[in-house]
Amino acid sequence: MLEASNIQIPERISLAQFRANAGQLHVILGSNGSGKSSLLGALAGLIELPEAEVKLGGEDLQQLSAESRAARMAVLTQRQSLDFDFEVADVIRMGLHPLQLDESEAQARFSQVVEALDLAGLLTRRYPTLSRGEAQRTQIARVLMQRRAKVGGAILLDEPLTALDLRHQHTVMQYAEQLKAEGHVLVMVLHDLDIAAQFGDSFTLLERGTVVGSGDQSVLQPELLSRVFEIEIERKVDEEGRLQFRAVTIND
């Protein structure tokens, strides 16, 4: 379990409690500027908050060195800057640095991640030549290489589906299902409500830095979502029992 309390960043976010369970995907939702990235940054230790408390499996992460924290928590931020002319395979393997895996285990993980994210055809490409979507999948692969080798790790992904086409969005989310089964804590910032509802187990809804809803799928009420995203949203259930959402335009 990933727990946090007293996350206070003036003019960005004010949060008393946060909890994400192992073996589940916790989705953070909100409009632009609502504090989603600030929350993720605070959980990841990227923002120094002396009064906050962040624990993973009961262990106080703020008492750990950056290296020890990186061995327990893998983080994808929104902005990834890499200008060096590395091959894609080398970028992906960068995720191994905080871990102590033997060569066979490292190679097995590399092969698994590459296959799951459909990157085999890109391994010898130079990173600066990639499209935005290809670069995003490469960075996701790098982060997932870093995930803890044993149960109890956390994976935090800020808008991982940005720039991905529909097929690769679902490739990433299907792999997330596998990571859940391994017992990891997964936290994602997402914008697509249909994908969030299909794959998410629990949710935090943010409005201007304040939590206005948290819990399971029952929190995804049209009235609350309309308030959070500042546009009228309708919800329905399809023939397979999946929630679907639609923004209502003026002409509807």
Side-chain angles (χ1 to χ4, degrees):
M1 179 187 298
L2 177 63
E3 302 173 276
S5 60
N6 197 30
I7 295 178
Q8 306 291 333
I9 306 174
E11 300 182 2
R12 291 163 68 183
I13 189 168
S14 176
L15 183 145
Q17 298 287 335
F18 175 89
R19 184 175 72 180
N21 293 322
Q24 294 188 355
L25 170 59
H26 187 94
V27 179
I28 302 173
L29 296 168
S31 61
N32 293 339
S34 61
K36 304 184 299 298
S37 293
S38 295
L39 173 54
L40 210 73
L43 295 173
L46 303 177
I47 303 172
E48 186 174 347
L49 299 172
E51 302 302 320
E53 185 175 67
V54 181
K55 292 184 177 182
L56 178 60
E59 186 175 28
D60 189 348
L61 295 181
Q62 301 205 118
Q63 300 300 315
L64 301 178
S65 66
E67 183 177 353
S68 295
R69 181 190 286 256
R72 291 162 174 79
M73 179 181 286
V75 183
L76 177 75
T77 58
Q78 275 193 45
R79 295 175 179 83
Q80 305 291 330
S81 59
L82 179 60
D83 299 324
F84 296 104
D85 194 28
F86 292 129
E87 288 188 349
V88 166
D90 295 327
V91 175
I92 295 172
R93 288 183 179 276
M94 288 178 183
L96 292 172
H97 291 332
L99 307 178
Q100 296 180 345
L101 304 182
D102 60 40
E103 183 57 34
S104 62
E105 188 176 2
Q107 183 57 44
R109 178 172 292 197
F110 178 83
S111 299
Q112 180 195 57
V113 170
V114 166
E115 179 180 1
L117 297 181
D118 190 26
L119 290 167
L122 300 178
L123 294 179
T124 59
R125 285 271 302 276
R126 297 290 175 177
Y127 184 82
T129 71
L130 300 179
S131 69
R132 286 185 61 205
E134 291 168 339
Q136 181 76 345
R137 280 189 287 133
T138 298
Q139 292 292 348
I140 293 171
R142 175 187 59 79
V143 169
L144 296 184
M145 285 288 287
Q146 186 187 323
R147 71 186 189 273
R148 196 173 188 179
K150 58 183 179 180
V151 173
I155 303 168
L156 278 55
L157 305 174
D158 194 350
E159 298 189 26
L161 306 185
T162 298
L164 299 189
D165 59 34
L166 187 60
R167 179 170 73 91
H168 288 116
Q169 287 182 10
H170 281 267
T171 294
V172 170
M173 297 310 297
Q174 290 292 343
Y175 194 30
E177 292 287 282
Q178 180 177 334
L179 297 174
K180 284 166 49 176
E182 292 178 8
H184 297 286
V185 177
L186 268 74
V187 180
M188 287 189 192
V189 173
L190 295 176
H191 283 293
D192 188 308
L193 291 175
D194 290 344
I195 290 178
Q198 180 179 351
F199 293 96
D201 300 292
S202 58
F203 306 85
T204 292
L205 275 61
L206 293 175
E207 180 186 32
R208 299 189 180 100
T210 300
V211 176
V212 295
S214 63
D216 60 17
Q217 281 196 353
S218 63
V219 79
L220 302 179
Q221 298 298 323
E223 298 81 5
L224 184 55
L225 292 172
S226 297
R227 170 184 162 186
V228 166
F229 290 101
E230 299 179 327
I231 187 172
E232 185 178 351
I233 293 175
E234 292 182 343
R235 185 183 75 168
K236 68 176 183 178
V237 180
D238 68 13
E239 295 178 352
E240 297 180 0
R242 294 177 300 193
L243 291 179
Q244 293 184 330
F245 300 88
R246 184 178 76 98
V248 180
T249 63
I250 295 175
N251 294 326
D252 284 345

